[in-house]
Amino acid sequence: MASRARVRAPELVGKGGWLNTGGKDLTLADLRGKIVIADFWTFCCINCLHVLDELRELEEKHRDTVVIVGVHSPKFVHEADHQAVVDAVARYEVHHPVLDDPELATWKQYAVRAWPTLVVIDPEGYVVAQHAGEGHAHAIAALVEELEAEHGAKGTLRRGDGPYVAPEPRAGDLKFPGKAVRLPDGHFLVADSGHHSLVELAEDGETVLRRIGDGERGLVDGTAPRFSEPQGLALVPAGLDLGYDVVVADTVNHALRGVRLADGSVTTLAGTGRQWWQGSATEGPAREVDLSSPWDVAWFDGRVWIAMAGVHQLWAFDPADGTVAVAAGTTNEGLVDGPVAEAWFAQPSGLAVSADGERLWVADSETSAVRWVSRETRSVHTAVGTGLFDFGHRDGAADQALLQHPLGVTVLPDGSVAIADTYNHALRRFDPASGEVTTLATDLREPSGSVLVDGDIVVVESARHRLTRLRLPEEAVRVEAVAHRTQRAATEVAPGALRLDVVFRAPSGQKLDERYGPSTRLLVSSTPPELLLSGAGADTDLSRELVLDGSVAEGVLHVSAMAASCDDDPEIEYPACHVHQQDWGVPVKLVAGAASRLPLVLAGME
């Protein structure tokens, strides 16, 4: 067995305490004898949600030897609210202990730089591996089997139940609903995300008329369908006979589904059920192309546009020829306007079309922004928002107004846009005519979408598990302005030359896959662009010399890395191959005499 680096694991501490343990505070000593996987996550992060799903099979298969510990490490101020973490653990069906670390104490002790990061601790309490980003489940599974064999032989492996204690289940008709649409008969169709189904409600927004889906996760078509955390819904325009009436963004199934209201039958329209990875097809027959966490859908310019949160893009499904393709965005995460092929998004999560059909409004959640796509010019513009790390609740001129992780947009009768300002628990409004942002309502609980009903607006209060009907006010609510930056500390680096090293070591039994050319890719850029005097752009080497402009005091380095590895055995005719990838947004502060090297661990140990 290959020797591996071993570093004593720091203690797991967090001011918010522990969840899913029956009230018990855990220490590493309590976990001695188990293989511990610390999952540093935050619930706003789509990549973190992907990793939760990646780990489910591993968690089930090795439940007597492995303990996964979620270390919740917030980006947004709302995510430091303990009740919000409790809600998120229930919403995403996290079935392992979670440490609520609102002040990032354990994050700092483990020198974590990215959401998500997975740290493997052996049964003797030593860190033996670290992985950033997605696509590492197979590597961790192989390492777990090695550790089981090694520590089983040494007598240091302790089998048996772990410390997870399931919380009391919540009763109710809705559980963390995502979005809703109003049907032609006045009823509401709601994506009941936490129950993995759709619910038709009467005009009162409360009475359940029927449920489509049996409440279990799955990708099943027909009259006994299954979904997995569905979110966005869009009605088929009147007059189109497609065989379905509603398009559903079936988020965790990475699919679009069509629902025929007459009998509740469901058809898969796009997606394979597999998650899209770099190198996968970006266009083609819709049922043959992988998608990645579609979060919302809208009919725009004759096609179904998709907020593809998982890859920071907009895609479009053409029902006429049954194809799907990228429509806007590069997969780079950030806020960059311009032609659709060059724009950057960050987890787009809500869509709405202007009354004249000329603009597609986008709730771009991770940049706390509202963006729009012009049908005529095929270009992307920002109405509100400045970037990944600035957020808050501030009204006024749009160029200085602040939101906090909005998930929904709705066009109002006067052409303005209502914003489900999710982490501010508010309904906000942007008026394109005046360029002003105001607040319409507060004291909502994680609003995720809204629907117009006559002169009222019905808000999906996701964390209150209900629809709430509000009268659209004639005057805005007065709210004290609050501005925030992420609590994550900036990394101090020296101006001038900076060595960037992305650390990647192929998992045991695998090697870099270079049969068809280079198996690695590194893309670097910065905000502001002036921060980087040289070193921006794409290349295949995972190390690069950057030069930082000393006159720029601080900024963000955007680093995207990908590596492909395959089974290292010439006897295997069809080796299994895996893609490892991560996007880092690293806040940096330029300080004379600070570090001249920036290591980022994709997989392995620094």
Side-chain angles (χ1 to χ4, degrees):
M1 185 174 298
S3 61
R4 62 174 72 91
R6 298 197 336 152
V7 177
R8 176 64 72 180
E11 191 54 81
L12 302 172
V13 294
K15 190 174 181 180
W18 288 87
L19 304 175
N20 286 354
T21 62
K24 176 181 173 60
D25 289 340
L26 297 181
T27 66
L28 284 177
D30 298 325
L31 301 174
R32 195 63 48 84
K34 297 290 189 180
I35 301 164
V36 177
I37 302 172
D39 175 16
F40 290 84
W41 70 297
T42 189
F43 63 78
C44 73
C45 164
I46 192 67
N47 311 91
C48 299
L49 303 186
H50 290 166
V51 167
L52 284 176
D53 290 318
E54 286 181 7
L55 292 176
R56 293 187 197 278
E57 182 179 347
L58 175 72
E59 192 169 27
E60 178 61 31
K61 183 177 179 181
H62 297 276
R63 62 171 51 255
D64 67 330
T65 59
V66 171
V67 173
I68 297 175
V69 172
V71 182
H72 189 268
S73 312
K75 171 187 173 181
F76 289 99
V77 168
H78 170 60
E79 293 175 302
D81 174 9
H82 181 70
Q83 184 57 48
V85 181
V86 173
D87 289 343
V89 168
R91 179 192 296 269
Y92 298 115
E93 299 181 356
V94 180
H95 294 162
H96 50 251
V98 173
L99 173 65
D100 181 10
D101 183 18
E103 297 177 348
L104 302 180
T106 296
W107 166 288
K108 294 169 186 173
Q109 286 295 310
Y110 279 79
V112 175
R113 295 185 185 274
W115 297 279
T117 291
L118 297 168
V119 176
V120 181
I121 303 169
D122 74 12
E124 295 179 284
Y126 289 91
V127 174
V128 293
Q130 181 171 325
H131 303 265
E134 304 177 51
H136 301 293
H138 70 287
I140 293 175
L143 177 57
V144 163
E145 292 181 359
E146 287 186 13
L147 292 172
E148 285 176 340
E150 176 184 341
H151 289 274
K154 289 172 65 175
T156 50
L157 183 69
R158 176 165 55 90
R159 293 183 178 272
D161 292 337
Y164 170 69
V165 177
E168 289 294 321
R170 181 196 171 277
D173 293 327
L174 299 178
K175 181 181 179 184
F176 301 108
K179 299 185 188 294
V181 292
R182 196 181 188 206
L183 300 177
D185 60 5
H187 297 166
F188 295 94
L189 190 66
V190 183
D192 192 10
S193 308
H195 286 138
H196 312 297
S197 59
L198 309 180
V199 174
E200 184 175 346
L201 301 179
E203 292 181 70
D204 62 7
E206 297 179 2
T207 304
V208 175
L209 301 177
R210 65 168 163 171
R211 184 174 293 275
I212 302 173
D214 65 4
E216 297 294 325
R217 288 183 188 269
L219 181 55
V220 179
D221 286 342
T223 54
R226 285 185 170 177
F227 301 89
S228 187
E229 297 182 33
Q231 292 286 342
L233 305 167
L235 289 175
V236 172
L240 287 184
D241 183 12
L242 300 176
Y244 50 90
D245 307 293
V246 179
V247 177
V248 182
D250 194 8
T251 303
V252 178
N253 275 329
H254 310 296
L256 292 193
R257 317 288 292 282
V259 178
R260 188 167 61 209
L261 293 173
D263 60 0
S265 65
V266 174
T267 304
T268 298
L269 306 177
T272 63
R274 298 184 301 270
Q275 183 185 336
W276 187 94
W277 289 99
Q278 291 286 352
S280 301
T282 56
E283 61 180 347
R287 292 288 302 270
E288 300 174 15
V289 176
D290 299 338
L291 309 182
S292 183
S293 295
W295 208 274
D296 202 6
V297 282
W299 287 86
F300 177 60
D301 196 26
R303 294 180 293 169
V304 180
W305 282 55
I306 309 162
M308 200 72 77
V311 286
H312 317 299
Q313 290 179 309
L314 305 180
W315 287 43
F317 164 65
D318 189 339
D321 61 11
T323 60
V324 69
V326 173
T330 64
T331 75
N332 296 321
E333 183 180 16
L335 192 153
V336 176
D337 290 338
V340 291
E342 300 172 14
W344 293 20
F345 295 91
Q347 212 168 300
S349 301
L351 301 175
V353 181
S354 62
D356 62 6
E358 290 299 314
R359 289 188 179 186
L360 177 69
W361 293 99
V362 182
D364 203 27
S365 62
E366 279 294 289
T367 53
S368 298
V370 171
R371 322 276 296 279
W372 54 278
V373 179
S374 167
R375 187 188 69 82
E376 180 181 4
T377 65
R378 288 293 191 250
S379 56
V380 177
H381 308 262
T382 297
V384 186
T386 59
L388 285 165
F389 299 108
D390 296 298
F391 53 90
H393 191 145
R394 186 163 65 199
D395 290 330
D399 61 0
Q400 58 85 52
L402 293 173
L403 310 170
Q404 187 178 181
H405 198 79
L407 290 180
V409 281
T410 303
V411 175
L412 300 179
D414 64 358
S416 63
V417 180
I419 306 161
D421 193 7
T422 309
Y423 288 2
N424 279 327
H425 309 300
L427 188 68
R428 310 285 293 283
R429 174 179 178 265
F430 168 66
D431 184 357
S434 67
E436 294 285 312
V437 174
T438 53
T439 297
L440 298 177
T442 57
D443 298 322
L444 302 168
R445 186 69 184 174
E446 293 192 13
S448 55
S450 59
V451 183
L452 281 176
V453 180
D454 303 322
D456 297 344
I457 190 164
V458 175
V459 179
V460 181
E461 277 198 272
S462 190
R464 282 200 178 112
H465 319 287
R466 70 187 189 191
L467 304 189
T468 299
R469 187 163 180 154
L470 305 172
R471 176 71 61 181
L472 280 172
E474 294 183 5
E475 294 186 7
V477 178
R478 294 185 63 85
V479 176
E480 184 177 352
V482 178
H484 300 291
R485 282 184 66 83
T486 180
Q487 293 187 59
R488 178 181 171 188
T491 299
E492 293 188 352
V493 295
L498 177 70
R499 176 75 176 180
L500 172 66
D501 289 321
V502 174
V503 178
F504 177 77
R505 292 179 176 82
S508 177
Q510 296 207 332
K511 64 179 180 179
L512 288 175
D513 177 20
E514 296 180 338
R515 293 170 298 166
Y516 308 109
S519 60
T520 56
R521 175 179 176 267
L522 180 64
L523 175 67
V524 180
S525 62
S526 68
T527 303
E530 298 77 29
L531 175 64
L532 271 176
L533 292 174
S534 67
D539 203 346
T540 58
D541 194 337
L542 291 182
S543 295
R544 187 179 302 181
E545 292 290 340
L546 310 180
V547 178
L548 307 183
D549 186 344
S551 68
V552 179
E554 59 182 347
V556 179
L557 288 175
H558 303 281
V559 180
S560 177
M562 184 272 289
S565 62
C566 290
D567 291 336
D568 186 15
D569 185 344
E571 298 300 317
I572 299 177
E573 184 177 1
Y574 300 107
C577 298
H578 304 275
V579 176
H580 318 255
Q581 65 181 49
Q582 171 63 7
D583 295 330
W584 290 268
V586 183
V588 294
K589 184 176 182 180
L590 274 59
V591 177
S596 59
R597 177 175 176 264
L598 177 63
L600 300 174
V601 176
L602 178 60
M605 293 284 287
E606 163 63 3

